[in-house]
Amino acid sequence: MMDHEDWTAAQETATVSVDGHDVEMAYRSEGDGEPVVFLHGVPTWGFLWRGVAPHLEDDYRTVVPDLVGYGNSSFAEGFDRSIRAQEGALEDLLDHLGVESAHVVCHDIGGGVALRFAAHNPERVRSLVCSNVVCYDSWPVEFISTLGLPRTADMDDEEFEGKLDFAFDEGAYGEADPAFVAGMKYPWMQEGGKRALARAAVATNTNHTTEIQYDDIDCPLLCLWAEDDVMQPIAYGERLAADVGGEVEPLDQAYHWVVEDRAERYRDRVATFLAETGGA
């Protein structure tokens, strides 16, 4: 699998609007065919999908953005990082790319973004794969809330990196791939990264998923869920599938970073689901 430097080199940028502010959004777009959009969560970035998206490029156009305030997107002060704001940024990005509708594969708060977008724009979402996503009142989790405190921005480098190591190394099922851990830490270890992560963490707002009209989501749904995740328990996936209409497929030997923990199984199941829902 490619490292974060090669991933970064393949990215482009687009200008999107967040509450009237022009913000640079990084993304990776490869392949042809029906569009498939991959949305990451907190505190990750588009590199999360390194073991999945590139394997679908022969059959689909894959679009993998870094949410604004994350990854190689703008870290600037003065704009909202909430999933409500990310929903608008996503819409602008798809318009910029000429993507009228797409399949959406999502994880963590990327799922909150996708669910809002699908409820508000049902004609633009062909299908949804939701993996350990935030929904209803499932979030925020304590670890992320703690990062939203002002002290995060003033933390010394060693303590800050230790928290990231805990999230990505200890959070993996089994022994984490060092390339994954290094890649996930990379954006936050840059100048301004601590403050950017604090801004992202403090922007988590449960109201933005409790207010969704889940009945308005009108597309095939697969909840491909790590069954041992304590941060986003599978019971929420079961509730989501019951309300929207869809199926739940548990994945064993995986924690919250299910996309990384079970990359081969994950991408195979996504490919099958896309084919079943009108893709290649």
Side-chain angles (χ1 to χ4, degrees), residues 26-137:
Y27 66 92
R28 184 176 184 273
S29 180
E30 303 287 347
D32 296 308
E34 291 191 10
V36 184
V37 178
F38 295 85
L39 299 176
H40 68 84
V42 59
T44 64
W45 56 294
F47 184 65
L48 175 73
W49 302 102
R50 67 180 186 138
V52 179
H55 294 269
L56 298 174
E57 291 166 6
D58 287 344
D59 298 313
Y60 298 95
R61 179 186 185 186
T62 63
V63 178
V64 190
D66 295 345
L67 299 180
V68 292
Y70 291 77
N72 290 309
S73 292
S74 175
F75 271 10
E77 296 291 313
F79 65 85
D80 188 6
R81 271 85 158 157
S82 73
I83 64 170
R84 180 201 59 79
Q86 304 288 358
E87 177 192 4
L90 172 63
E91 185 169 7
D92 279 2
L93 177 63
L94 295 184
D95 290 346
H96 170 80
L97 295 175
V99 174
E100 294 183 1
S101 64
H103 305 276
V104 181
V105 183
C106 52
H107 179 260
D108 194 80
I109 69 164
V113 177
L115 291 167
R116 288 182 63 92
F117 186 73
H120 297 151
N121 304 275
E123 75 287 351
R124 300 195 71 173
V125 179
R126 302 183 189 187
S127 71
L128 269 174
V129 178
C130 290
S131 297
N132 302 76
V133 304
V134 302
C135 52
Y136 307 104
D137 60 349

